[in-house]
Amino acid sequence: MTSDVKYRVAVIGGTGPQGKGLGYRFAQGGHTVVLGSRAAEKGEAVAAEVREKLAGAAGAGEVSGASNADAVEQCDVVLLAVPYDGHDELVASLPLAGKTVISCVNPLAFDKRGAHGKIINNGEGSAAESAQELAPEATVVGAFHNVSAVGLWEEPGLLDEDVIVVGDVVEAKEVAMNLAASVTGRVGIDGGKLRLARQLEPFTAVLISINRKYKVHSGLRITGLSPDASH
Amino acid sequence: MTSDVKYRVAVIGGTGPQGKGLGYRFAQGGHTVVLGSRAAEKGEAVAAEVREKLAGAAGAGEVSGASNADAVEQCDVVLLAVPYDGHDELVASLPLAGKTVISCVNPLAFDKRGAHGKIINNGEGSAAESAQELAPEATVVGAFHNVSAVGLWEEPGLLDEDVIVVGDVVEAKEVAMNLAASVTGRVGIDGGKLRLARQLEPFTAVLISINRKYKVHSGLRITGLSPDASH
């Protein structure tokens, strides 16, 4: 089941691989996308690249570029697709009050033993929860953590993955669940409360390990959900 | 690809739903299983229940019951399928030196907002890592965390899930990966180093949330792995 609701989505970090890839997919699904960057010109340059890739796609939404703050001002939905380094300062600087904010930020660390989750607030935190604390008048959900940037940009069709969405406000989760249909062809899965972002974010380290071992772009699917269910 | 290697597996916590279910599946796959319990008679009673369920299954392995310590003595492979409460004391009490130890222990906490991961060692630990510290002469891997006990016991066929295995010793991971074929029909997936058990264990909280929301028994699959790969 997919949804016909169309959103205006500001992608913060819209020039990075995850933000650009998700912005491309959202526009392909008919949503309006504003790719934000520290420099508006950089956002506009990547928007032109995305428009070029979309050329000819029926029903695609408009894609433009802007500074991060301007992108937020133009949209009701904000996707945070930034590196965890500098995340807190950037989030605190944005005019997020009243917005539905989707965090796909993965706080990961890398050493010679590979990728692993960064410890946030002694294990009792996540990037998504930090964003909610820094923007208390926004509604933050977590989603799209485990979707491969390479797949988003290079895979010709929908991705054989599921998008799990966590959050404390059902209506905000539904926005991310609907947007997921642009990526996977199915609405996302309600994975529970926002604090479970602690589990979704570092799970990406497991997928990175699998990718390295098997030379693949792995993804996550949830089995056992009936096709007749609301999912 | 499945493996023809057969193991002797001691299931610690073999009378609980996860241990009983995995023991049943391992025996169905031709492995010898000793269900351990605090009281040998309890282990033997559940072994009789498993044997009854297996009756007629071609190629099934033998199933017996024993005290936890006796079960370990009789086997080279030990599955820890115990609740996290009391886990450390139990592990420290077992003669695990030289054994391949598979931990499927999920340190979870529950409150009115649902299931979530228990914080271990300020976020820098997991049940599997604790077991390795407590049994330094054993080789501990993590696996089978996310497999539904209900599915293991009640689902008539193989489960549509993947078993992700983490550990620091390849040969020990291979044991769990081979055992996984009894559950899913496919060898398990090498998910990286043992410390990534920090990610696998609490992910079960996400599946529990999904189960509650959608009234299903959800599982996890990894997509993107070629059927021609070693997996």
Side-chain angles (χ1 to χ4, degrees):
Chain A
M1 188 193 304
T2 59
S3 161
D4 285 337
V5 189
K6 301 303 174 200
Y7 301 99
R8 292 182 64 84
V9 186
V11 181
I12 306 307
T15 59
Q18 193 83 355
K20 183 173 87 166
L22 283 168
Y24 164 61
R25 295 285 176 158
F26 294 164
Q28 207 172 31
H31 306 286
T32 303
V33 172
V34 185
L35 297 174
S37 183
R38 280 170 202 274
E41 314 82 75
K42 183 88 191 298
E44 186 43 56
V46 176
E49 194 187 341
V50 172
R51 284 195 300 268
E52 191 180 343
K53 196 171 168 74
L54 281 167
E62 285 180 27
V63 180
S64 59
S67 72
N68 283 323
D70 284 352
V72 170
E73 298 281 13
Q74 295 171 36
C75 297
D76 300 314
V77 179
V78 178
L79 177 75
L80 298 174
V82 296
Y84 184 64
D85 285 343
H87 165 273
D88 288 4
E89 296 73 10
L90 179 60
V91 169
S93 77
L94 293 172
L96 295 172
K99 311 288 182 183
T100 295
V101 175
I102 304 170
S103 169
C104 67
V105 177
N106 287 322
L108 298 180
F110 296 85
D111 59 23
K112 63 182 197 297
R113 299 173 70 76
H116 58 287
K118 225 167 213 171
I119 313 299
I120 299 178
N121 194 17
N122 290 324
E124 302 195 65
S126 59
E129 290 167 284
S130 296
Q132 184 63 82
E133 277 166 38
L134 291 160
E137 292 175 71
T139 306
V140 178
V141 303
F144 301 106
H145 301 95
N146 309 131
V147 182
S148 145
V150 178
L152 287 167
W153 190 250
E154 292 181 5
E155 189 73 39
L158 295 165
L159 302 189
D160 179 25
E161 306 189 28
D162 278 311
V163 172
I164 304 174
V165 182
V166 294
D168 293 337
V169 177
V170 171
E171 293 72 18
K173 282 197 274 199
E174 283 173 354
V175 173
M177 289 162 71
N178 287 335
L179 283 168
S182 303
V183 177
T184 65
R186 301 180 298 281
V187 296
I189 297 171
D190 184 342
K193 299 294 185 188
L194 187 64
R195 66 179 170 185
L196 293 182
R198 297 171 199 174
Q199 272 71 68
L200 294 185
E201 293 172 3
F203 196 85
T204 305
V206 177
L207 296 177
I208 290 171
S209 290
I210 292 171
N211 291 349
R212 190 171 293 187
K213 169 85 183 177
Y214 294 91
K215 319 279 184 224
V216 296
H217 299 297
S218 63
L220 196 62
R221 280 216 62 172
I222 300 296
T223 61
L225 289 166
S226 155
D228 303 331
S230 61
H231 165 248
Chain B
M1 188 191 305
T2 59
S3 161
D4 285 336
V5 189
K6 301 304 173 198
Y7 302 99
R8 292 182 63 84
V9 186
V11 182
I12 307 306
T15 60
Q18 193 82 356
K20 184 171 88 167
L22 284 168
Y24 164 61
R25 295 285 175 159
F26 293 165
Q28 208 172 31
H31 306 286
T32 302
V33 173
V34 184
L35 297 175
S37 183
R38 279 171 203 275
E41 315 81 75
K42 185 87 191 298
E44 185 43 56
V46 176
E49 195 187 341
V50 172
R51 284 194 301 267
E52 190 180 344
K53 196 171 167 73
L54 282 168
E62 285 180 27
V63 181
S64 59
S67 71
N68 283 322
D70 284 351
V72 171
E73 299 280 14
Q74 295 171 36
C75 297
D76 300 315
V77 179
V78 178
L79 176 75
L80 297 174
V82 296
Y84 184 64
D85 284 344
H87 165 273
D88 288 3
E89 295 74 9
L90 179 60
V91 169
S93 77
L94 293 172
L96 294 172
K99 310 288 181 182
T100 295
V101 175
I102 303 170
S103 170
C104 67
V105 176
N106 287 322
L108 298 179
F110 296 85
D111 59 23
K112 65 183 196 301
R113 298 173 71 75
H116 57 288
K118 223 167 216 172
I119 314 299
I120 299 179
N121 193 17
N122 290 324
E124 301 196 66
S126 59
E129 289 167 285
S130 297
Q132 184 63 82
E133 278 166 38
L134 292 160
E137 293 177 70
T139 306
V140 177
V141 303
F144 301 106
H145 301 95
N146 308 131
V147 181
S148 145
V150 178
L152 288 168
W153 191 250
E154 292 181 5
E155 189 73 39
L158 295 164
L159 301 189
D160 179 24
E161 305 189 29
D162 278 311
V163 171
I164 304 173
V165 182
V166 294
D168 292 337
V169 177
V170 172
E171 292 73 15
K173 281 198 273 200
E174 283 173 354
V175 173
M177 289 162 71
N178 287 336
L179 283 168
S182 303
V183 177
T184 66
R186 300 181 297 281
V187 297
I189 296 171
D190 185 342
K193 300 292 185 189
L194 187 64
R195 66 180 172 186
L196 294 181
R198 296 171 199 173
Q199 271 73 67
L200 294 185
E201 294 172 3
F203 196 86
T204 305
V206 177
L207 295 177
I208 290 171
S209 290
I210 292 171
N211 291 349
R212 191 172 292 187
K213 169 85 183 176
Y214 294 92
K215 320 279 183 223
V216 296
H217 299 297
S218 62
L220 197 60
R221 280 216 61 171
I222 299 297
T223 61
L225 289 167
S226 154
D228 302 330
S230 61
H231 166 248

